[in-house]
Amino acid sequence: MILPIYVYGQSVLRQDAEDITPDYPNLKQLVADMHETMDRADGVGLAAPQVGLPIRVVVVNLDCLSDDMPEFKGFRRTYINPHILEMGEEMVSMEEGCLSLPGIHESVKRPDKIHVTYLDEDMNAHDEWVEGYLARVMQHEFDHLDGTMFIDHLSSLRKQMIKGKLNNMLKGKARCAYKVKTVK
Ligand code: NI
């Protein structure tokens, strides 16, 4: 089932999301719905707060980038209760967008690699260092679980430049091709 994507201004996007237990109700269905919702919106990642749930669940699909990055052929993952333990020291800039911030694309500086722990959809525990594009997507998505959006990383000048677009979202005007839930 396609879920509406919560847009900037929705308070759930600013909450600290909670770890879940394996018996979280209808988890398999939620994960399937999140993948379907992300795919329909042409996203590479989606965090549960973006569908209105303050829980630590993230889905990622990098297969759509595999023409340029063959290492991601068939790459589709679910991250349950992810936590970043350490970050690399080298910082890299890359343009980011977000399904909860339609129409905004800005360059964001982040560490090039991260040490993460998480459970996969079968509840197997993972503990690994991740780098490159996946580390970028993970940091963006896991930020959502701490109530952070990528615009929070921008300079005050860049924040000023996107203020109009943000105000429009607060007024319920979000121009995008997928189903959204705005505050108004
Ligand atoms: Ni996002």
Side-chain angles (χ1 to χ4, degrees), residues 21-137:
T21 55
D23 60 354
Y24 185 86
N26 302 320
L27 180 60
K28 283 248 179 296
Q29 187 60 49
L30 171 66
V31 166
D33 289 347
M34 285 178 65
H35 278 285
E36 193 183 350
T37 302
M38 166 178 65
D39 291 352
R40 180 63 69 88
D42 286 330
V44 295
L46 185 71
Q50 295 181 274
V51 291
L53 296 170
I55 56 172
R56 298 186 75 88
V57 177
V58 162
V59 295
V60 167
N61 173 19
L62 300 184
D63 181 64
C64 49
L65 306 170
S66 61
D67 282 351
D68 295 325
M69 294 182 257
E71 68 270 32
F72 293 130
K73 187 84 202 141
F75 188 99
R76 182 184 285 279
R77 295 283 189 280
T78 302
Y79 301 101
I80 294 167
N81 300 344
H83 292 276
I84 296 176
L85 305 182
E86 301 170 75
M87 292 174 159
E89 279 165 26
E90 198 185 318
M91 303 290 282
V92 281
S93 288
M94 201 180 282
E95 192 174 270
E96 295 188 19
C98 179
L99 296 175
S100 296
L101 292 161
I104 296 179
H105 295 89
E106 293 284 336
S107 183
V108 180
K109 207 180 248 189
R110 297 187 189 269
D112 66 328
K113 57 182 178 183
I114 51 172
H115 178 196
V116 291
T117 58
Y118 60 89
L119 304 172
D120 61 29
E121 64 270 38
D122 299 316
M123 292 293 164
N124 296 311
H126 297 257
D127 180 328
E128 59 199 33
W129 277 92
V130 180
E131 57 184 16
Y133 194 81
L134 177 58
R136 164 71 46 165
V137 173

